[in-house]
Amino acid sequence: MEFDSSPGESQGVSKAPPEAMSADLTKLGSHLISKIHVLMRVSLIYDAKNETFRQFSQESLQAVNALIQKERMVSLKILKNEIFLNEERLRYSADGFTSFKYVLTHWKKKLIGGVTFRELVDERVLNEFIFIFNSLEDGKEDNAARFTKRLADCGIDFVTVTPLEKSVSEEEDTSLEREDNREVAKKVFFETIGTVKDMITQIEGKQYPGVRKLKRLVQKTIHLAVEDESILLGLTTIKNYDEYTYNHSVNVSIYALALGRRLGFSRQMLTELGLTALFHDVGKSKIPKEVLNKPAGLDDEEWVLMKKHPLMGVETILNLKQLGEINPRMVIGIFDHHLKGDASGYPKLFRKKEISLFGRIIQIADVYDAMTTPRVYRKPWTPEQALAFMLRDRGKHLDPILLKVLIGLVGIFPIGSLVLLSTGELGIVFKPNADSKWMDRPQVILISRDQKGYVKKELADLMATNGGNQFKWSIIKTLDPTEYHIDIAKYFL
Ligand SMILES: [Fe+2]
Ligand SMILES: [Fe+2]
């Protein structure tokens, strides 16, 4: 594959893929889900006259009416494990995960698939809505019809409730979605993002939190990596514009842990490495947001500041509580993560020094994640392009042996790659082949759309044959998902 530009620059401004909802709507939508979540919980404890309840009910009202004012109506619909707002999939962030999960689970239990508000809502309407919902029994087929009728009995005819739709492909998805490990991994992943975010917020407010909670999460991640690493690697395809720094830190720690495991690190060493990776960019919390999020190139002065982040990171972790959990290896790892083999990196040193192993591991993980993440100012590189670039760059900047380990880890068709198959079907690489001899035959998710336009997913093992000695599918080439308007992360959630 040919490409000449260097990462981060000169790829032009990328258009948001059409699958993506506008940032504004996503924000309002996520806000609404979090308010509904709280109100649902509060309504189980208090009645409508209670002051606490009324306060939360007001907040939910504002959230729903803000959307109705903007969009004329609000329809929330549940399909499989996703919530659609006005027919578009609503993405959730690390913060929103618990609320999404709660609303999804409770609506599904009562077989409620959606609700539409066609006019502005007042306190009475919202209260009826919540308490009628609570009165429904779990698993009753006619709950939605009963719900709509009871609303109509109260004179509310502009709110409609629809039953949960069983999608045609739901059964086919069981192998992808009902795995316990996957659910646990998601929870740990989002909890780690949330914790990193909380810690950075505290550090920005000049408070220095402890590290024990994060350490426990790293230990859980290591446990999951031992069980099934491909689940974690799949989660790294979630690239979030708004939460970039936190998301990036967690992704880097997943890659670093996977590399560390292949180097035979003990659990203790892996825990240290995972924590170091989570903290590698913590120094950026001392850099003004305007500089950090600047869409175009930085000027000289801003670069000077930016290049201080490894050193400021060291300073920050030395100020954390529970300093006993931090050791020199970790401190040096953070300091080293932008040093280059040929001394062209930063911070500038008076004397050339060996880059520590933690530093080299994090560097590789960092570059790979940064290149494959879309930023406001550029399209992401595909995993294959990123690996090819890193290979070309090896020796000068990156540790060639670790780079080989990374390639062995993500495969020649890295998890999350969009591929064209010999049958003409499109697939997303889901899990590498356990046998390294067959690195070109991973498991892929075949994707197609049914007549209604819903995406169907089916798992295919590229080791499968046509009965004889011919393979059923082979990978022809990788494709750029942004050109096909495919949101890869969706297939790993
Ligand atoms: Fe960095
Ligand atoms: Fe980084």
Side-chain angles (χ1 to χ4, degrees):
M1 181 164 301
E2 285 292 319
F3 54 92
D4 296 308
S5 48
S6 60
E9 288 104 34
S10 69
Q11 290 211 1
V13 176
S14 72
K15 278 186 286 177
E19 277 192 7
M21 183 184 279
S22 80
D24 208 20
L25 203 56
T26 306
K27 218 175 188 168
L28 288 172
S30 307
H31 179 67
L32 175 62
I33 299 295
S34 74
K35 291 296 162 198
I36 293 182
H37 163 218
V38 176
L39 192 64
M40 281 171 71
R41 295 187 91 138
V42 171
S43 71
L44 296 174
I45 313 170
Y46 301 118
D47 63 29
K49 289 195 199 80
N50 176 282
E51 258 320 299
T52 311
F53 178 85
R54 291 194 63 190
Q55 184 199 324
F56 287 114
S57 147
Q58 283 304 325
E59 287 176 15
S60 298
L61 269 182
Q62 277 165 10
V64 70
N65 284 337
L67 266 166
I68 297 173
Q69 261 157 2
K70 189 171 157 49
E71 299 278 304
R72 292 224 188 125
M73 58 168 276
V74 165
S75 108
L76 289 172
K77 196 166 164 189
I78 289 180
L79 203 64
K80 288 195 261 180
N81 283 327
E82 285 164 9
I83 299 180
F84 287 76
L85 168 62
N86 292 357
E87 304 296 326
E88 277 183 89
R89 187 174 82 101
L90 193 53
R91 278 171 167 282
Y92 54 81
S93 64
D95 282 347
F97 182 64
T98 322
S99 300
F100 267 73
K101 203 78 205 173
Y102 184 92
V103 173
L104 267 174
T105 320
H106 287 79
W107 285 30
K108 276 184 166 180
K109 261 193 196 159
K110 304 208 174 186
L111 304 183
I112 299 297
V115 55
T116 308
F117 298 96
R118 286 182 304 274
E119 279 176 28
L120 289 175
V121 178
D122 62 21
E123 194 175 341
R124 183 186 74 93
V125 173
L126 188 66
N127 292 354
E128 293 290 359
F129 180 80
I130 288 288
F131 289 104
I132 295 175
F133 177 87
N134 285 353
S135 70
L136 299 173
E137 264 176 70
D138 285 357
K140 281 259 156 53
E141 294 282 348
D142 62 346
N143 267 347
R146 201 188 286 238
F147 201 151
T148 308
K149 183 173 179 305
R150 283 192 51 192
L151 286 168
D153 290 346
C154 307
I156 303 163
D157 57 2
F158 58 94
V159 181
T160 335
V161 178
T162 48
L164 190 64
E165 244 179 75
K166 278 240 182 296
S167 80
V168 205
S169 54
E170 192 130 41
E171 283 96 63
E172 293 166 6
D173 283 340
T174 48
S175 59
L176 302 181
E177 283 169 2
R178 287 215 190 127
E179 297 168 36
D180 283 353
N181 277 344
R182 191 165 295 280
E183 286 307 311
V184 177
K186 271 197 249 175
K187 206 170 158 259
V188 172
F189 179 81
F190 285 111
E191 212 179 318
T192 311
I193 295 179
T195 309
V196 170
K197 185 176 178 178
D198 286 348
M199 289 184 74
I200 289 182
T201 315
Q202 286 183 48
I203 292 166
E204 283 166 348
K206 306 239 166 354
Q207 278 176 303
Y208 290 91
V211 291
R212 267 187 215 133
K213 182 171 179 201
L214 212 53
K215 185 179 169 187
R216 269 196 299 278
L217 285 164
V218 171
Q219 286 163 337
K220 282 189 195 167
T221 309
I222 295 169
H223 180 74
L224 286 160
V226 174
E227 297 276 310
D228 187 349
E229 197 174 70
S230 65
I231 296 178
L232 289 171
L233 290 172
L235 289 172
T236 64
T237 58
I238 303 169
K239 312 283 190 186
N240 195 327
Y241 289 101
D242 302 334
E243 311 268 330
Y244 174 71
T245 315
Y246 322 117
N247 222 151
H248 168 67
S249 305
V250 177
N251 289 353
V252 170
S253 88
I254 290 175
Y255 293 126
L257 287 176
L259 289 168
R261 282 189 61 217
R262 276 164 186 70
L263 299 176
F265 281 17
S266 66
R267 286 210 178 212
Q268 169 67 25
M269 277 271 272
L270 285 174
T271 311
E272 288 174 12
L273 176 65
L275 270 176
T276 314
L278 285 175
F279 283 130
H280 80 280
D281 275 338
V282 75
K284 287 191 179 169
S285 51
K286 308 265 169 162
I287 295 176
K289 290 250 163 27
E290 311 83 76
V291 178
L292 222 47
N293 301 329
K294 207 173 169 187
L298 302 176
D299 63 31
D300 289 351
E301 214 173 292
E302 289 163 337
W303 258 118
V304 171
L305 197 60
M306 194 64 147
K307 286 180 174 174
K308 284 188 179 155
H309 84 263
L311 197 58
M312 293 196 282
V314 167
E315 194 184 293
T316 309
I317 69 158
L318 291 177
N319 272 314
L320 292 176
K321 275 187 223 147
Q322 299 152 6
L323 194 60
E325 305 282 0
I326 308 287
N327 72 26
R329 234 192 325 258
M330 302 162 75
V331 178
I332 295 168
I334 294 176
F335 181 83
D336 283 0
H337 83 274
H338 286 289
L339 284 179
K340 301 276 166 74
D342 64 352
S344 65
Y346 55 88
K348 277 276 165 278
L349 303 177
F350 292 113
R351 200 177 297 139
K352 218 173 146 185
K353 90 169 193 68
E354 282 277 310
I355 309 169
S356 64
L357 183 55
F358 273 23
R360 278 178 284 151
I361 293 176
I362 291 169
Q363 207 164 94
I364 289 221
D366 185 37
V367 172
Y368 181 70
D369 185 64
M371 287 184 80
T372 52
T373 301
R375 302 304 304 270
V376 185
Y377 48 89
R378 65 157 166 82
K379 256 173 65 172
W381 295 51
T382 66
E384 189 194 13
Q385 289 169 334
L387 288 180
F389 178 86
M390 290 167 78
L391 268 173
R392 260 197 346 211
D393 203 41
R394 76 184 182 277
K396 233 183 356 172
H397 294 151
L398 302 164
D399 183 320
I401 296 178
L402 287 177
L403 194 53
K404 259 187 105 171
V405 181
L406 178 78
I407 294 170
L409 168 88
V410 290
I412 39 175
F413 297 112
I415 291 181
S417 303
L418 179 67
V419 291
L420 176 67
L421 299 169
S422 48
T423 50
E425 290 163 290
L426 290 182
I428 293 172
V429 177
F430 190 63
K431 197 172 179 171
N433 199 314
D435 183 349
S436 59
K437 219 172 54 207
W438 295 107
M439 259 162 83
D440 57 337
R441 303 209 157 268
Q443 288 182 25
V444 303
I445 305 169
L446 299 176
I447 48 175
S448 57
R449 289 178 193 273
D450 63 16
Q451 291 101 330
K452 276 190 189 166
Y454 293 135
V455 175
K456 286 187 14 173
K457 301 183 273 183
E458 191 189 331
L459 197 60
D461 189 341
L462 299 200
M463 289 305 282
T465 59
N466 280 327
N469 49 9
Q470 253 195 335
F471 287 113
K472 215 164 154 187
W473 298 277
S474 293
I475 294 177
I476 304 288
K477 61 174 180 176
T478 57
L479 303 167
D480 182 351
T482 49
E483 271 167 31
Y484 289 79
H485 308 309
I486 289 172
D487 178 4
I488 298 286
K490 197 159 103 179
Y491 297 88
F492 292 92
L493 273 174

